[in-house]
Structures are given as C-alpha cells and as structure tokens.
Amino acid sequence: MSIRALSNGRFQADFADAKRNIPRTKRTFDTRKEAKEWLDAAKQESRRRLLGLRPQRVFGEALAKYLKDLEDTSGGDDAAARQAGHAEALRWPFPFERRWAHLELVPLEDVIPAFNAWLTDLRAVRARRYIGNKVYHLRQENGEDVWYLQPHPESATPPPIRARVTDAVLLRKLNRNDPFAAAVNAQGKEPFTAEQIAAALPGYTLRRARQRLNRAVTRGLLSRDAQGSFRALKALEGPAQRGRGPYANQTLRVRQILVREVLQAAWRRWGWLEHDIAGKIELLPLPEGRETWLLPEQLDRLTAAAPVWLRRAVCGAAWIGWRKSNVLRLEWSNVIWPERDADGKVIRAGLYYVPGAVTKNKKPLAQPMSERVEALFRECWEDRNGDSVFHKDGKCLADVNFRKLWKRLRREAGLPADLRWHDLRHTWASHLAIAGVPDRQIQEAGGWQSLAMVKKYTHLNVEHLQGVVDAYKG
C-alpha cells in the first residue's frame, strides 16, 4: 500500500491484500488527497471482506460489466457502440462537494447525488468544438466566456480534470469570427427578424437569414411564436462557425437512462445493490415531438427530383415505414416473392423481413409485400448489383453519404428545410392512420416498441368524428 508522485505531476495509489483475495490495483489521481481517499476506501473494503459483508462496488465496475454484457449479447452492433460513447462522457471529472470527483470511483449506493452533480456540470456547457480528436467546452465564469479542453478518457486511468485554454492561436480557432454572431452581438437585446439580419449583414440574402433562424427554431433554441433576441440566439449558438451548441436534453436523457439501466442491472441481475435506487433519477423532459410528414404530391416532387438510385430508396422508406438502417440495409436474401397461379392470381403473399439482431428493439421485423412495393422491388431486381436491394453502383446505400444531395433535393422540391429522412417513416405511419388502420397494426408493421409511440399519429384518424360534423346542418 503506497502513494507515489509521478513525473507528470499526478499521484499513483497502489493497493493489494493477498490474504483477503484482493489483487494488486493501481489508480492515478490529480492530487495526493484523492489518492489517499481511494487508498482509505480500498482498506475499508478489505475490512468488509474480512467481516464477510457484501463487497462495496463502485459505479465504474458496474458500468464496465454492463457494457461488456451488452457487447456480448448484441454482437457488437451500433447500439453497443453508442452506449460506449455515452459511457466515455460519464467518466469526465466534475466538481462535487468542493472537490473534483470521478463518477466511476463513487460507491454504487452513493452514485445518485454524484450523478446529479455531473449532470448539472454538463448542462452548464454553452458550446462545444471538436478539433482533431480533442473536445472543447465553452463555459461562463464570472460573466466571461472561457474555453476548456475536456481530456478524452483512457481505458484504465480516470481522466484528468479539464484544462483552461490559454493558447492564443487555439483561442482564435475556437472563436473564429462569424458575421452572424457579430451582428447578434451588435444588435443587443432588441427583437430581430430575418429581414433585419439580411439588411445588417453583407452577403446575407433574406433566404439565408430565414434558414439560419429556422435552424435555431428546429433545434429548439428559439420559440416559433417569439424568435427572441439577437443576444439570446448568440448565447445559444455559440461564437464560432463550427461545432455544436449546448447539450440537448435528448442527449443528457439518454445518459440518464444508461445510468438507470446500469443500476437496475446491479440490483436485479448481479445483486450488487440491496435496494433499487434507479427510480431516483428523474429523467429530463423532452421537447414537443415533430410531426413533419409529406402529402402525396410532396412525395412525388421529392422522388421526381431524385436520381434513380435514391428515388427507389425514398419510395421504399415511405412505403415500408421502417427505420433508415433497416430499409437501406435490406438484402435480397430477406425478400420472399409472392407466388401466383397460371392466371396471375396471388396464392401466397410475398414478404420481406430483417432479423432481430439488427433492429433497434432487438425484435425481428416483417411485412407482407404490397403491390407497389413488389413493383419497386422488381425494378430494383432488374438493376441488382450485389446483395443489397437499395444500392449505388453495388454499394449499400446505408454506407453512402448523400447528405448534401438530400439537402439539394429538399430545396428543389420546395419542401420544409427541416425535413429529415426519418420523416419518411412518419409519412408512412400518418397515411396509414388517415386510412383508418388500427394503432396496434401500425405498431407491429413499423416496429415500434410501445403503442404510446404510435399515438402521435392517431389524431389524423378522424373517421369517428364524421357523424359529429354531419349533425350540424347550419
């Protein structure tokens, strides 16, 4: 048991107890005080084992085990990788009880208040920048904007605390001049409109100004009713051209859910906790959901502007209704053609499916083949090149970056600037609801995990109100 100073100014604590089956463990800390606190905790754990008490686990152990179990059960798919990315952020040091703390070193029983402090610290980030492989956070201290380098967590060692950026060259990169932000700063707290922005900024057309405002509204930074002030928009967007704004509630909520799942697993599956404390984490509210979907004529304009390979994929997304990856990664081995008799009458319906291993909720998806989907698939079959139904020159469309092309098509078709590919899924569900298809069938065909997620489309089914409006004769 020892603490030694390292050449980089940090301190390494070393602990082992062979008699009580505690292997040698080393941890590195920023201060000698933190190293001593960890060493004292390790000694206390040794005494607990001597007395035959339940070992005291720290959150880092539970998080590592949860990620390992997730990787083993999911086969290393995208979901496991996303959770690992969120887990890295959980390792960032944060101020807690007048000192720097690491969530991974907090005992499981005491993790709730520490996690709430971590969440509060992250919500104070006003902007983010990514230069190379490094992450920078903008915070406000004593009325001044301050940039910090957020060290990337290493595999075994708790990451060091964030460091204030003082290098003049780097600060210029982080605070790159932006004419929009400059006008925002000059305007102060006065209300603004797209017309005012276009008049104030050389080279800013009214259309470009409206797009800038619409992006802020779409991201939830501004209200659709009152677009706020220049200064409010500047504070939310940040002073630089590149990067991102504050962490969205959706992102932080995902990390809250991750911690909840880790704590539930520690209680139910591993027996590391005596009580279920996961419910003490109050999830952040989500913004009001978007309801963007296309009318038939809007979808026609979009497909008419698209090249053949993308038109087929757009039709497939709007007619099948699955998530983007499930549609674009559909393979011919998962397509079963309908069987017909000599007169061309269908005697067995065709279908297409994806296995549960590649779906979001780990349940297989399958749909019977409609006539228009069959016609689309036969067109794709005539132009097949490899295993993928939807491809560009033989390359699966899920691996093709067509973001710029999508923006151009959206503009040429005169569609909303915030239209996303996922809205094709909303389009499919909305048209089924309008046609009177029951919620449960929409849920099953679309692959939603809960019926509540389908309810946002049910207001479009108004057949049951026909008698109400017909009753009024005027």
Side-chain angles (χ1 to χ4, degrees):
M1 294 179 287
S2 63
I3 298 176
R4 68 185 185 93
L6 302 177
S7 59
N8 60 2
R10 305 185 79 193
F11 296 85
Q12 185 181 76
D14 189 341
F15 180 81
D17 192 340
K19 293 182 179 179
R20 291 159 193 169
N21 198 29
I22 298 179
R24 185 176 184 182
T25 306
K26 295 180 180 181
R27 290 285 190 275
T28 305
F29 302 90
D30 294 305
T31 65
R32 183 178 290 275
K33 180 181 178 182
E34 291 176 335
K36 186 177 183 304
E37 288 176 350
W38 178 84
L39 202 58
D40 291 342
K43 293 177 183 177
Q44 182 64 28
E45 178 63 22
S46 178
R47 296 190 191 99
R48 290 174 62 88
R49 293 196 181 189
L50 177 64
L51 297 174
L53 301 176
R54 180 198 301 265
Q56 188 178 56
R57 306 283 187 170
V58 294
F59 179 74
E61 291 181 86
L63 181 61
K65 181 172 176 56
Y66 173 84
L67 294 175
K68 181 65 167 60
D69 291 351
L70 182 64
E71 184 179 6
D72 293 342
T73 55
S74 64
D77 65 358
D78 293 343
R82 285 194 301 269
Q83 291 290 54
H86 289 299
E88 284 185 351
L90 292 175
R91 301 189 63 201
W92 287 338
F94 59 98
F96 180 55
E97 296 180 347
R98 298 184 178 182
R99 64 182 179 87
W100 286 98
H102 293 81
L103 202 61
E104 61 194 84
L105 302 179
V106 177
L108 276 175
E109 294 83 355
D110 305 325
V111 78
I112 299 298
F115 175 64
N116 289 336
W118 175 91
L119 192 67
T120 300
D121 183 62
L122 212 59
R123 296 187 75 181
V125 174
R126 299 181 59 210
R128 295 166 285 161
R129 301 290 177 266
Y130 303 91
I131 300 178
N133 294 325
K134 295 181 179 179
V135 181
Y136 297 89
H137 287 169
L138 178 67
R139 297 173 179 270
Q140 192 169 60
E141 296 180 356
N142 301 321
E144 178 187 4
D145 287 342
V146 180
W147 283 103
Y148 283 95
L149 168 64
Q150 186 65 62
H152 188 276
E154 299 176 2
S155 58
T157 306
I161 63 176
R162 55 182 177 254
R164 181 168 178 166
V165 177
T166 57
D167 181 80
V169 176
L170 179 56
L171 284 173
R172 280 198 297 271
K173 288 184 179 180
L174 294 171
N175 292 301
R176 186 174 300 144
N177 290 332
D178 181 355
F180 183 82
V184 166
N185 192 41
Q187 186 72 9
K189 295 184 179 180
E190 294 300 320
F192 64 89
T193 63
E195 288 78 5
Q196 289 173 324
I197 294 175
L201 299 180
Y204 255 73
T205 63
L206 181 60
R207 179 177 181 179
R208 185 180 177 192
R210 283 174 176 163
Q211 288 175 342
R212 191 79 182 252
L213 290 181
N214 286 338
R215 277 205 304 273
V217 172
T218 302
R219 292 166 55 198
L221 304 180
L222 294 176
S223 165
R224 291 186 183 274
D225 299 326
Q227 291 182 327
S229 69
F230 268 111
R231 188 173 297 278
L233 182 59
K234 175 180 181 293
L236 290 166
E237 284 205 342
Q241 287 179 314
R242 300 182 64 187
R244 301 178 183 177
Y247 284 97
N249 272 12
Q250 295 97 316
T251 301
L252 298 178
R253 183 184 171 99
V254 168
R255 294 171 184 176
Q256 285 182 305
I257 293 173
L258 172 59
V259 175
R260 269 190 170 189
E261 292 178 350
V262 171
L263 295 177
Q264 286 174 346
W267 174 59
R268 292 180 179 174
R269 288 156 43 190
W270 312 327
W272 291 4
L273 285 171
E274 294 183 2
H275 307 285
D276 182 12
I277 61 174
K280 295 182 179 180
I281 298 178
E282 297 183 9
L283 298 181
L284 295 172
L286 291 175
E288 293 184 5
R290 298 168 69 258
E291 294 184 2
T292 303
W293 54 282
L294 299 180
L295 297 172
E297 55 269 24
Q298 290 177 310
L299 182 60
D300 290 342
R301 293 204 304 268
L302 180 62
T303 55
V308 174
W309 59 269
L310 188 56
R311 173 185 61 79
R312 294 167 179 164
V314 169
C315 290
W319 296 346
I320 296 175
W322 289 345
R323 294 177 181 87
K324 182 178 180 179
S325 62
N326 297 141
V327 173
L328 298 188
R329 292 194 183 278
L330 186 64
E331 296 185 349
W332 289 116
S333 58
N334 296 333
V335 175
I336 301 176
W337 297 104
E339 295 182 12
R340 288 180 167 84
D341 58 17
D343 298 327
K345 183 178 180 181
V346 175
I347 56 176
R348 178 183 293 178
L351 62 89
Y352 39 93
Y353 66 94
V354 290
V358 297
T359 63
K360 183 178 180 181
N361 55 21
K362 302 306 175 187
K363 295 181 180 178
L365 274 174
Q367 274 187 25
M369 193 179 296
S370 65
E371 291 183 2
R372 64 178 181 179
V373 170
E374 181 186 356
L376 174 65
F377 281 2
R378 293 199 180 279
E379 179 185 341
C380 294
W381 179 258
E382 293 298 322
D383 190 36
R384 65 187 182 278
N385 187 351
D387 298 328
S388 298
V389 175
F390 302 107
H391 67 89
K392 181 185 179 184
D393 299 328
K395 186 175 183 180
C396 175
L397 283 194
D399 301 322
V400 175
N401 186 353
F402 52 85
R403 182 177 299 177
K404 290 184 179 179
L405 176 59
W406 174 260
K407 291 181 179 179
R408 180 173 64 80
L409 296 178
R410 187 175 58 195
R411 182 174 63 252
E412 292 178 356
L415 300 177
D418 63 343
L419 180 73
R420 306 170 303 178
W421 184 277
H422 193 74
D423 294 326
L424 298 174
R425 175 169 164 85
H426 296 169
T427 298
W428 174 83
S430 298
H431 284 286
L432 289 183
I434 292 172
V437 177
D439 296 352
R440 182 69 68 180
Q441 294 180 11
I442 296 177
Q443 176 196 358
E444 184 176 355
W448 279 279
Q449 191 166 7
S450 67
L451 195 60
M453 301 179 72
V454 185
K455 289 295 184 181
K456 59 184 176 182
Y457 306 108
T458 56
H459 69 282
L460 298 171
N461 185 349
V462 294
E463 278 190 29
H464 60 290
L465 299 177
Q466 189 65 50
V468 176
V469 295
D470 287 344
Y472 178 66
K473 305 298 183 182

